[in-house]
Amino acid sequence: MEHLDNRSVALIRGDGLGGTSRVNTLLYTRGAPLEYNHWKNMGHSAWGYDELKPYFVRSEKSLSHSKSDFHGGDGPWENQTFPDLQFEVLKHVRPAAAALGIPEIPDINAPDAPPVGCAMLDVSIDASMRRASTYSAFLPADVAFPRKERLKICTRSIVTGIEVATESSGLRAKGIYFERLDPSSKTFYARAKREVVLCCGALGSPQLLMLSGIGPKEHLQDHGISVVRDMPGVGSHLQDHIDIPVTFETPIEDSLHVLLVQPWRAVSQLAKYFISSKGLFAMPVTQMAVFVKSSLLDDNSEIRTRVPEDEDNVADIEIKAIPVNGSHIQYPKLGVFSLLPGLVRPKSTGRVMLASTNPRDHPAVDLGFLSTAEDYAVLRKGVKLALRLGEQIRLQGYPLKNLQALEGQSDEGLDSFIRAHARSGFHYSCTCRMAPETDPVHPGVVDDELRVYGIHGLRVCDTSIFPEILSAHTMAPAVVVAEKCADMMKSAPSSGT
Ligand SMILES: Cc1cc2nc3c(=O)[nH]c(=O)nc-3n(C[C@H](O)[C@H](O)[C@H](O)COP(=O)(O)OP(=O)(O)OC[C@H]3O[C@@H](n4cnc5c(N)ncnc54)[C@H](O)[C@@H]3O)c2cc1C
């Protein structure tokens, strides 16, 4: 990436039923009501917090919070907090934050959660201490099997294109082409009786649209693809959270790395998990995070005592505390603790393009990280705050050693540290954005009912439709998009849209 000293950063996606929720960190956060109300104020009247809250509640079964106006108690998707901290270093995080004037937040998903605080996070792990992926929650055997006459699931398959026909009423998606992953597979065709719904994620959905001739005309022509519909918005406005790992050495016993260095510990912990559903394998990697709104920090990342009047009261920095190495630099045999300041309201945007016309190739992704100066300013404060938290943990008597050399804390020094260590937060969004197609800067791809402009019978339903990225981890908002999409499809006329 141009602004990361031309470094590449790793991107991850889960390929399987349940998508990336099969491999992710399972943190369940929703974002602030103000952010959804911002979507609403952008003109998407059915996408404000009050309109979406019933979908959050409908899908959720919280095992840690009482059922309420905003927490679900009967939904299919379980989550819980993990207040029992198994690593000493984690026990120091809340006191360290308190010493810096950062209070505890009892529930980060409460609509009135403040923009500064330290919170135990909800994690989508079920009562049996198993991963509650969207697959296990929403497509369990008792839902899938009774529907097997009308529900066909093709695993180990890849969609290679959408068939779009020209009818008297205009363009219409008629079905999809797909292949088995086996390289010698023939091509199959599935006809859509009503609609085609793309849910290939913010990297996959624009790729498939472009492979099908729907995207920026010049880019399609460069790849020799016949243009079905010129849509400059497809793949543009890619947004992602930017994480900067700040790593520290801990005693090996006090880091998850103990499982690598002492394999017998891994075996005994695994046995403990299978026998009693307890131990390290029953714990999420991330249990807590510190949230801060950068305008409430001064240049030394001290909390200002006088809070500026600001209606946009949403944290733009999230610092995750994890007992493991969060950086791309390897520290074999060391115990590592990381604080991961993440910029969760980035201004930088990138794009998804085709690398080739082969659907099995990954798309070419430019995250566009750090293409605006504003993002640097927030990240500097995030890194300084992480260092101050580390210092406080040491002041409490914990033997924490800095692992990365950071020459002073000048803007130049911090910026080069940020460039050298930035990594993806894996929250890719907005590449088929819900926005007017005529938006002069970032043209939209879908309307408020997630229908692709100018093509009947085609919707997109994943994080690519976000009009703007949220400060939340993106899995719970993706589920809400899916819940809402299902309702809109049920109420659509049977001839399709
Ligand atoms: C390592 C990691 C950790 C994360 N941790 C968290 C977390 O703790 N909390 C959180 O909220 N979010 C987290 N996320 C992000 C979250 O998982 C995603 O935002 C969310 O899963 C996005 O949902 P989606 O439906 O938009 O896309 P996905 O879940 O990515 O699903 C899209 C699916 O479509 C498939 N696909 C793509 N193209 C094709 C094709 N042509 N044919 C067939 N299938 C195709 C992909 O293989 C994928 O399985 C994490 C992500 C990663 C990578």
Side-chain angles (χ1 to χ4, degrees):
M1 259 182 287
E2 186 189 346
H3 302 282
L4 298 190
D5 301 335
N6 289 322
R7 253 187 329 117
S8 300
V9 300
L11 301 182
I12 301 175
R13 180 176 79 185
D15 292 344
L17 292 175
T20 304
S21 74
R22 294 295 292 278
V23 300
N24 71 8
T25 326
L26 294 171
L27 301 175
Y28 177 96
T29 62
R30 296 175 175 181
L34 256 159
E35 299 181 273
Y36 297 100
N37 291 339
H38 176 55
W39 288 7
K40 186 173 181 172
N41 293 339
M42 289 166 84
H44 313 296
S45 57
W47 292 84
Y49 181 71
D50 286 342
E51 289 74 20
L52 296 179
K53 188 171 64 176
Y55 296 108
F56 280 117
V57 173
R58 175 163 104 180
S59 56
E60 182 186 29
K61 181 172 181 177
S62 171
L63 304 176
S64 301
H65 304 285
S66 310
K67 192 172 162 181
S68 67
D69 153 58
F70 58 93
H71 269 305
D74 315 310
W77 196 24
E78 293 181 16
N79 66 57
Q80 54 182 313
T81 52
F82 288 78
D84 179 25
L85 300 170
Q86 306 218 357
F87 294 100
E88 276 307 306
V89 64
L90 292 178
K91 294 181 187 164
H92 288 273
V93 174
R94 276 182 293 185
L100 296 178
I102 299 171
E104 285 192 29
I105 302 180
D107 180 356
I108 192 64
N109 288 320
D112 58 357
V116 176
C118 180
M120 300 307 293
L121 300 173
D122 294 318
V123 187
S124 299
I125 291 182
D126 68 17
S128 326
M129 297 298 168
R130 296 210 187 101
R131 170 177 287 270
S133 69
T134 53
Y135 170 50
S136 62
F138 298 103
L139 198 58
D142 63 332
V143 169
F145 281 110
R147 291 164 174 79
K148 66 181 181 194
E149 292 307 314
R150 56 205 159 93
L151 175 66
K152 281 265 177 280
I153 300 173
C154 302
T155 55
R156 297 196 53 71
S157 303
I158 181 166
V159 180
T160 54
I162 306 160
E163 190 203 13
V164 180
T166 307
E167 297 185 338
S168 53
S169 57
L171 297 169
R172 175 170 292 278
K174 303 291 275 185
I176 52 132
Y177 298 100
F178 67 102
E179 295 171 3
R180 305 280 297 153
L181 278 184
D182 145 23
S184 58
S185 169
K186 62 177 187 175
T187 300
F188 299 89
Y189 177 71
R191 183 172 65 84
K193 277 194 192 153
R194 287 180 57 171
E195 301 184 43
V196 172
V197 184
L198 281 194
C199 40
C200 295
L203 307 182
S205 287
Q207 180 188 22
L208 193 55
L209 285 173
M210 288 188 274
L211 289 171
S212 311
I214 303 159
K217 186 168 129 194
E218 290 77 23
H219 182 54
L220 301 183
Q221 285 169 341
D222 286 347
H223 283 275
I225 296 172
S226 312
V227 178
V228 171
R229 190 156 197 277
D230 178 20
M231 296 193 74
V234 172
S236 74
H237 201 66
L238 169 62
Q239 288 194 295
D240 188 8
H241 295 161
I242 309 176
D243 281 351
I244 314 293
V246 179
T247 50
F248 304 89
E249 184 183 349
T250 64
I252 186 71
E253 297 288 329
D254 204 34
S255 160
L256 263 180
H257 292 207
V258 73
L259 300 179
L260 296 173
V261 174
Q262 301 172 6
W264 60 268
R265 287 281 286 269
V267 174
S268 73
Q269 287 291 332
L270 204 54
K272 188 171 180 180
Y273 175 71
F274 283 124
I275 293 163
S276 64
S277 298
K278 292 201 164 75
L280 294 181
F281 284 100
M283 305 301 294
V285 173
T286 314
Q287 290 172 261
M288 61 168 72
V290 169
F291 296 85
V292 188
K293 183 170 161 55
S294 58
S295 63
L296 303 183
L297 295 172
D298 68 15
D299 283 346
N300 293 320
S301 280
E302 290 186 28
I303 303 279
R304 291 183 212 268
T305 41
R306 284 179 144 240
V307 173
E309 284 292 317
D310 187 347
E311 281 184 19
D312 183 1
N313 231 359
V314 180
D316 51 3
I317 298 172
E318 177 187 359
I319 305 185
K320 293 180 289 263
I322 54 174
V324 71
N325 182 7
S327 101
H328 61 277
I329 298 166
Q330 300 297 309
Y331 303 106
K333 305 210 166 126
L334 291 187
V336 183
F337 166 70
S338 308
L339 289 168
L340 279 176
L343 171 62
V344 292
R345 304 191 76 196
K347 299 284 182 292
S348 303
T349 60
R351 65 179 305 131
V352 175
M353 289 165 291
L354 292 175
S356 79
T357 54
N358 183 348
R360 290 164 192 254
D361 288 344
H362 292 307
V365 180
D366 177 3
L367 294 170
F369 278 2
L370 301 174
S371 44
T372 68
E374 267 172 286
D375 285 354
Y376 269 117
V378 182
L379 280 168
R380 276 181 218 133
K381 288 186 173 181
V383 172
K384 281 188 201 170
L385 184 59
L387 291 168
R388 297 197 68 217
L389 282 166
E391 195 179 291
Q392 280 299 328
I393 292 173
R394 261 192 302 272
L395 284 173
Q396 290 167 28
Y398 185 88
L400 200 64
K401 292 186 205 152
N402 283 2
L403 273 174
Q404 293 142 317
L406 185 57
E407 301 291 326
Q409 290 197 8
S410 66
D411 284 1
E412 294 71 30
L414 284 164
D415 290 354
S416 93
F417 180 85
I418 289 166
R419 278 193 298 276
H421 293 91
R423 51 162 257 197
S424 168
F426 307 123
H427 294 152
Y428 336 118
S429 322
C430 310
T431 50
C432 298
R433 108 183 247 261
M434 174 167 55
E437 201 183 7
T438 48
D439 185 312
V441 185
H442 292 296
V445 175
V446 298
D447 67 12
D448 285 13
E449 303 235 335
L450 310 185
R451 296 170 298 206
V452 175
Y453 289 115
I455 302 180
H456 298 288
L458 181 60
R459 289 191 215 239
V460 182
C461 175
D462 52 37
T463 58
S464 71
I465 67 87
F466 292 1
E468 290 291 337
I469 196 166
L470 299 158
S471 67
H473 297 247
T474 35
M475 172 176 64
V479 165
V480 159
V481 168
E483 290 272 9
K484 189 165 172 62
C485 183
D487 264 7
M488 291 187 300
M489 288 172 70
K490 279 194 280 184
S491 57
S494 59
S495 57
T497 52

